[in-house]
Amino acid sequence: MLLFGGDYNPEQWPEEVWTEDVALMRQAGVNIATVGVFAWSDLEPEPGRYEFDWLDRVLDLLHEGGIKVALATPTASPPPWFTLAHPEALPVTADGIRLSHGSRDTYCVSSPAYRAAARAVAGRLAERYAHHPALAMWHVHNEYGTDCRCDVTAAAFRLWLQKRHGDLGTLNEAWTTSFWSQRYSDWAQIAPPRATQYMPNPAHVLDFRRFLSDELLDGFIEQRDLLRAANPAVPVTTNFVQGGWVSVDHARWAEEVDVVAVDHYPDDAGPGAEEQTAFAADLARGWGGGSWLLMETGPNLIYTRGRMHAKEPGRLTRHSLGYVARGSSGAMYFQWRQPRGGAELFHSALVPHAGPDTPVFREAVALGRTLRTLSPKAADAPPPAASVAVTWDAPSWWALQGPGLPAADIDYLAAVRQAHRALYRAKLQADFVFPGVSTALGDYRMIVVPQLYLVSDEAAAAFRDYVAAGGTLVVTYLSGIAEPDTRIRLGGYPGAFREILGVRVVEWHPQAPGTVITLEDGLAGATASAGLAASSGSVAFSGSVASAGLTAERWIERVETAGAATISRYADGPMAGAPAITRNRYGAGSAWYVSAGLTDDSLQALLRQVAAEAGAEPVLPGLPSEVEAVRRGDLLFLFNHGDQPATVDRVTLPPGGVRIRSADGVEGPPVGRG
Ligand code: GAL
């Protein structure tokens, strides 16, 4: 059964509204409600005094209505009494400011008092509800990620560092502490990175982020274990955040949850939202090893550039089915009913302030019907199979957010999204691989490696094996630069990939925003129609890249070839005439190097061509540009994201429409706009 529902906060409403809620949920075909995420102060109004009666009634009511429950532990938002009694458990910023109560997430995960209180409330919930017939899963906490730099955190950080580095000598070496006289002679001298006079040490900053991810994970595991012990049959999860905030290393966390559950809020109101939906879903599927669940998205809202954007009719449906097509076991939203007050009082909901007689609720009802029809085929269908993959690595992102980098506008997330977007626009189904966590790189035809800054020796060897065995690798600038502790790999960039790529980069030339650099095709003056690169050291390279030319922004480099063939040279700018894009034959495969910050169109043209050479096939040939096609098992999902009707295989998709086909015909009602 595909799950359909979302966050439900009955504690914000009088009981008569609960009855209406359940009736409306039934009308919409909602089959799961996430309950209790922020209900700590209602569940435990005073220390050790629990009030479960209301929750009993809510769970019973939902159960009678045939609606399952993802029951949350409320530990993301400690109640006022807790923070008053334990001011030491309030988080401290890098500036040394101890935050006050008044929002949510006011906790320090290293605080023993907080951990004890969290275990206590989670334990009581487990005791009372582990065998409730409505319980489908546990939802621990909410979007783990609170940062704290207090002294208790400092002590935990030191213990973590001792485990990671063993002795101080190793830490000093890994952190290059002889730079600026930072050599530590006692563990007690090490604190979390705090406001300091000038730039902090990048290795220190990065290790703290790793520590925080692990420390938060310990907090999760503690709760998970006691919930599991109460009833091992009930899966335990927590909701991972997708987007610009990378609080924890999800690829590592994924190993500890029973279900990878993801919150995703696109932040682009235009077609970028559809591309972000595909990106988020493909990444979540990677974390989940194939299966995952969309735990939250905005039913009728995209936050974009400081403004709320109401989704156009049909877009809720398209996005929701987009996640399902890409492997989600359902579509869930934040939230069921729009609140009357509180900080998120205008956040959208399936039942908005105006009530159920609204476009969003009507669309939800129709979507519920579609999901029900789809359930028998989609719920257990295997996830989309991809012939190409993109790398993802949270520590590389953290390192590229660190101090001392060569350009202030380096943006790892943007680079990975751009690579994925290029594949998406080329209609290639992509997966993600996580070389920082697992050296298994699969048997993809092509792997794209955008800005994989940190690469271990083991990961470098795995990439070598992958290419030697016939794989095609496309590596972009800022990859393979450092070891996992941020120490630079010497001898020329991109250190970890130099051998496979057959190049040596000796200088970086980051460019001011707005500067556009042109790349030649490797055969200046040759006929574009022939599309052949013939200058010495260059190889034949036919097709759109050669004839259209390429442009780059923000980043160029001085590249020397050391075995690689030059595919494209810089045509202007400080590197004019020097190699820009290269290809190296390595074993049975090829490794491409992209030294420039290619614009979207250029990267897309390049990846399209490399993928074709590598034998990676689009999901369907000849798709119109506005149409997205995804295969999940036997089902083919076709999405028309455009404003005009589009025809695919004699099926006409209305503007904004979705068609789902299986081997034995069209599944479910056609979904169109309005
Ligand atoms: C999510 C969060 C929810 C709510 C929502 C608003 O990230 O889990 O509690 O705050 O954002 O968009």
Side-chain angles (χ1 to χ4, degrees):
M1 180 182 61
L2 290 169
L3 299 175
F4 181 49
D7 276 54
Y8 177 43
N9 302 105
E11 67 276 17
Q12 297 170 9
W13 297 94
E15 290 209 26
E16 55 277 15
V17 179
W18 304 357
T19 322
E20 191 199 2
D21 282 329
V22 173
L24 290 174
M25 285 181 191
R26 288 175 61 85
Q27 189 185 337
V30 161
N31 54 27
I32 187 155
T34 306
V35 178
V37 178
F38 295 111
W40 197 342
S41 63
D42 285 289
L43 289 170
E44 191 182 358
E46 288 168 30
R49 184 172 71 76
Y50 295 93
E51 283 189 2
F52 288 125
D53 291 359
W54 67 270
L55 189 55
D56 292 350
R57 291 199 294 284
V58 168
L59 262 57
D60 292 348
L61 205 61
L62 288 166
H63 179 60
E64 284 157 23
I67 298 154
K68 292 285 180 196
V69 169
L71 186 56
T73 66
T75 52
S77 208
W81 60 255
F82 174 79
T83 45
L84 269 178
H86 295 285
E88 82 288 357
L90 283 161
V92 173
T93 67
D95 291 319
I97 298 169
R98 193 175 285 283
L99 299 177
S100 306
H101 200 91
S103 181
R104 65 182 187 187
D105 294 282
T106 39
Y107 66 88
C108 161
V109 78
S110 302
S111 152
Y114 167 73
R115 291 278 274 268
R119 279 194 307 272
V121 69
R124 293 299 290 261
L125 284 164
E127 234 171 71
R128 194 165 183 103
Y129 299 108
H131 295 278
H132 193 285
L135 184 68
M137 73 176 84
W138 291 106
H139 174 303
V140 174
H141 202 89
N142 189 67
E143 297 186 339
Y144 272 100
T146 305
D147 181 312
C148 176
R149 314 274 166 129
C150 74
D151 289 343
V152 177
T153 304
F157 182 39
R158 282 178 212 120
L159 288 177
W160 183 91
L161 288 169
Q162 281 163 14
K163 265 195 233 142
R164 179 173 175 86
H165 297 283
D167 57 79
L168 265 183
T170 311
L171 178 140
N172 279 313
E173 179 81 5
W175 287 13
T176 322
T177 52
S178 38
F179 191 85
W180 285 351
S181 179
Q182 291 176 353
R183 182 166 293 277
Y184 297 102
S185 54
D186 191 314
W187 290 100
Q189 296 159 3
I190 305 177
R194 291 173 174 155
T196 187
Q197 149 62 16
Y198 184 41
M199 287 194 290
N201 181 325
H204 180 192
V205 171
L206 176 62
D207 262 357
F208 185 73
R209 299 201 67 167
R210 286 194 173 107
F211 151 77
L212 193 62
S213 176
D214 286 357
E215 186 76 349
L216 290 160
L217 184 57
D218 281 354
F220 165 77
I221 287 174
E222 208 167 77
Q223 291 195 40
R224 180 203 65 190
D225 288 352
L226 62 84
L227 297 168
R228 265 190 193 159
N231 184 352
V234 180
V236 185
T237 191
T238 182
N239 46 345
F240 291 178
V241 190
Q242 279 247 6
W245 183 55
V246 60
S247 50
V248 304
D249 187 346
H250 297 110
R252 281 190 192 284
W253 277 58
E255 293 164 3
E256 303 293 346
V257 296
D258 295 325
V259 179
V260 163
V262 164
D263 297 352
H264 181 239
Y265 294 88
D267 60 10
D268 186 315
E274 278 74 56
E275 291 165 348
Q276 288 178 0
T277 297
F279 173 87
D282 289 346
L283 183 53
R285 190 179 63 251
W287 288 334
S291 65
W292 69 286
L293 170 64
L294 176 74
M295 184 61 92
E296 287 182 22
T297 189
N300 187 26
L301 178 69
I302 296 172
Y303 281 118
T304 180
R305 290 180 214 101
R307 228 168 275 289
M308 293 182 177
H309 175 91
K311 288 184 187 172
E312 296 77 2
R315 213 165 180 199
L316 160 65
T317 305
R318 258 186 303 133
H319 285 186
S320 305
L321 293 175
Y323 296 113
V324 170
R326 288 173 189 270
S328 175
S329 41
M332 296 173 66
Y333 307 88
F334 184 88
Q335 56 190 322
W336 166 250
R337 190 182 274 278
Q338 200 166 21
R340 293 197 72 175
E344 291 180 337
L345 71 174
F346 293 113
H347 194 283
S348 73
L350 292 169
V351 183
H353 289 149
D357 185 12
T358 42
V360 65
F361 187 72
R362 281 192 287 276
E363 191 169 334
V365 172
L367 175 59
R369 244 189 333 261
T370 303
L371 291 172
R372 262 198 315 281
T373 317
L374 211 53
S375 260
K377 285 247 158 101
D380 300 316
S387 55
V388 301
V390 181
T391 55
W392 174 265
D393 185 47
S396 287
W397 188 2
W398 294 336
L400 289 175
Q401 290 178 329
L405 295 166
D409 55 0
I410 289 171
D411 186 339
Y412 174 82
L413 177 62
V416 184
R417 277 183 173 171
Q418 191 201 24
H420 184 272
R421 185 164 61 241
L423 300 171
Y424 172 91
R425 291 186 187 170
K427 316 294 183 191
L428 290 159
Q429 176 62 52
D431 276 352
F432 280 88
V433 290
F434 309 95
V437 172
S438 161
T439 50
L441 295 178
D443 55 1
Y444 298 100
R445 298 280 180 167
M446 173 173 93
I447 299 180
V448 186
V449 183
Q451 298 190 4
L452 187 67
Y453 183 76
L454 306 173
V455 176
S456 66
D457 291 346
E458 296 73 35
F463 283 115
R464 273 199 299 276
D465 293 347
Y466 166 78
V467 180
T472 296
L473 200 65
V474 182
V475 177
T476 82
Y477 66 96
L478 280 173
S479 295
I481 305 302
E483 294 166 359
D485 283 319
T486 74
R487 278 164 65 88
I488 300 299
R489 291 177 172 275
L490 302 178
Y493 313 128
F497 294 107
R498 223 168 42 227
E499 182 194 333
I500 334 177
L501 294 171
V503 298
R504 178 168 172 266
V505 174
V506 295
E507 264 172 25
W508 286 338
H509 289 254
Q511 300 291 297
T515 311
V516 177
I517 303 283
T518 312
L519 278 61
E520 287 174 351
D521 63 5
L523 180 61
T527 57
S529 57
L532 290 179
S535 61
S536 100
S538 296
V539 295
F541 188 67
S542 57
S544 55
V545 174
S547 49
L550 300 169
T551 50
E553 294 171 330
R554 294 180 190 272
W555 193 275
I556 61 173
E557 296 177 335
R558 186 180 298 281
V559 181
E560 295 174 1
T561 52
T566 298
I567 299 300
S568 169
R569 292 178 187 277
Y570 288 105
D572 53 26
M575 286 312 120
I581 299 174
T582 60
R583 178 175 58 191
N584 194 36
R585 301 286 186 203
Y586 186 86
S590 311
W592 293 69
Y593 185 56
V594 183
S595 70
L598 293 183
T599 53
D600 264 20
D601 284 352
S602 295
L603 184 65
Q604 195 191 325
L606 176 72
L607 292 184
R608 209 184 266 270
Q609 180 125 358
V610 178
E613 286 188 20
E617 301 282 348
V619 181
L620 274 183
L623 280 177
S625 65
E626 306 288 0
V627 174
E628 175 187 349
V630 186
R631 276 187 206 285
R632 180 172 175 185
D634 183 27
L635 296 170
L636 174 66
F637 290 73
L638 295 169
F639 302 89
N640 180 5
H641 298 305
D643 287 334
Q644 301 298 319
T647 303
V648 179
D649 256 1
R650 293 191 301 282
V651 174
T652 298
L653 296 151
V658 185
R659 290 287 181 278
I660 303 158
R661 304 170 72 194
S662 67
D664 49 5
V666 175
E667 295 291 317
V671 184
R673 234 176 218 177

